[in-house]
Amino acid sequence: MRAIDVHVHPSTRGLDKHACGYFRRNLDEVPQTAETFAELYVEQDVKALLIGWHPSTVMEGSRNTNDHVIDLATRFPDAFAGTLASLDINDKDITKVARYAQDLVRNPKVVGFKFHPPDQGFYPSDKKFYATWEVLQTGGKPVMFHVGFTVLGANTDGGSGIALDYGRPIHLDTLARDFPRMKIIAAHPGWPWEQELIGVVTHKKNVHVDTSGYLAEQLPEIFLKAIGGRLQDKALFGTDFPYVDLEKALVSFDKVGFKQAVKDKILFANAQALFGL
């Protein structure tokens, strides 16, 4: 196995036009069917973790769901190692959300959870969500939170109503303190708060970080230095596919001069340990 990609959006469902424009992604190069999507990962000898969350900015096409990514992982186990399930964290019935979370924890195809605080409009450290966080901490499966800038709503009036402050890495510091047994993953290097993110990941043993949204040579210099050094055991390879090309992301890791042992940790060993793959 060449790598485990911990941050993959299924290209079989509606894609965000803001993200495609930001990354200058040619959609003709993106697999549209389940079969071609799975084939891409098999050909690259990479296992993907599929995210069930659906961006609020995507109004057209079929909606991504937990059921969809669980079905893909079931049908194509050679390509997809599992799923990161999503929850409607702002549902008024908090008890229902916690109960659904418990059901997902029991599903073997669900290896973790994914939240997007800026798009979902919430602070991870808000105590009204603590009952749900307790369920996830008890379940023992990693929980991923988007941090930093988001391409959703980028360069639109009012950012399409999406506020970046929800994605400040410091909010995960409070969460990690209050839930020390929760395995937390910060998705992306946290720009423009990359120093803040490095501080949180360095200080809190239960916080990890992925490289998604960037080719390796594009990562902020301070972040690249950190994951190649002190944080090498806490960094995970992620692409943000289909917005970032999988093959280019893999090739980019050969350009940044990591020692082979470090590269192996980031590309697959850390994810194997964290997710129990």
Side-chain angles (χ1 to χ4, degrees):
M1 181 174 56
R2 193 175 176 189
I4 297 173
D5 186 348
V6 304
H7 198 122
V8 180
H9 302 279
S11 58
T12 51
R13 292 290 167 102
L15 302 180
D16 182 77
K17 294 180 179 179
H18 299 140
C20 292
Y22 182 89
F23 288 107
R24 299 177 182 176
R25 193 70 161 113
N26 183 354
L27 291 182
D28 292 336
E29 300 173 355
V30 175
Q32 301 292 318
T33 68
E35 290 75 16
T36 55
F37 177 34
E39 183 180 332
L40 171 66
Y41 273 84
V42 170
E43 287 179 348
Q44 293 297 327
D45 194 22
V46 176
K47 294 274 192 176
L49 300 186
L50 303 179
I51 293 171
W53 161 76
H54 184 82
S56 68
T57 53
V58 177
M59 306 295 183
E60 300 174 354
S62 300
R63 185 176 181 84
N64 188 29
T65 63
N66 292 330
D67 288 342
H68 178 60
V69 292
I70 289 170
D71 176 64
L72 288 174
T74 301
R75 291 168 57 196
F76 304 100
D78 291 341
F80 310 130
T83 69
L84 300 180
S86 178
L87 296 172
D88 182 5
I89 198 66
N90 288 309
D91 192 300
K92 293 180 180 179
D93 189 344
I94 299 175
T95 302
K96 182 180 73 173
V97 174
R99 187 165 56 247
Y100 181 42
Q102 288 178 324
D103 291 340
L104 289 168
V105 164
R106 298 187 190 104
N107 191 317
K109 290 298 180 182
V110 176
V111 299
F113 292 80
K114 163 68 189 296
F115 297 90
H116 197 298
D119 188 44
Q120 294 180 286
F122 76 99
Y123 291 105
S125 56
D126 190 327
K127 285 185 168 53
K128 72 179 181 180
F129 304 118
Y130 274 29
T132 300
W133 301 154
E134 185 60 46
V135 169
L136 298 188
Q137 175 175 251
T138 301
K141 296 183 176 182
V143 185
M144 178 184 288
F145 295 88
H146 174 100
V147 295
F149 181 83
T150 177
V151 297
L152 301 181
N155 198 35
T156 64
D157 292 337
S160 296
I162 295 171
L164 296 181
D165 186 62
Y166 291 118
R168 286 284 300 270
I170 199 64
H171 302 308
L172 296 187
D173 183 70
T174 302
L175 183 65
R177 179 199 66 189
D178 293 347
F179 293 89
R181 293 182 291 107
M182 180 187 283
K183 304 171 186 176
I184 298 170
I185 302 169
H188 317 298
W191 180 83
W193 302 290
E194 61 267 37
Q195 292 188 50
E196 183 174 287
L197 175 61
I198 291 168
V200 173
V201 179
T202 301
H203 191 260
K204 298 296 189 289
K205 184 178 180 179
N206 53 320
V207 181
H208 306 258
V209 66
D210 80 22
T211 64
S212 61
Y214 294 74
L215 300 180
E217 70 267 23
Q218 297 170 338
L219 289 166
E221 184 177 355
I222 189 173
F223 181 85
L224 195 63
K225 184 177 180 180
I227 66 171
R230 186 184 296 272
L231 301 183
Q232 63 183 264
D233 295 318
K234 306 182 78 178
L236 310 164
F237 172 71
T239 58
D240 213 1
F241 184 88
Y243 308 114
V244 174
D245 183 83
L246 172 62
E247 187 172 5
K248 289 180 180 178
L250 291 166
V251 170
S252 74
F253 266 83
D254 293 326
K255 299 179 180 180
V256 294
F258 284 148
K259 294 179 180 178
Q260 188 62 46
V262 173
K263 189 161 66 170
D264 290 347
K265 288 180 182 180
I266 297 173
L267 287 176
F268 58 84
N270 290 342
Q272 284 178 320
L274 186 63
F275 288 98
L277 300 175

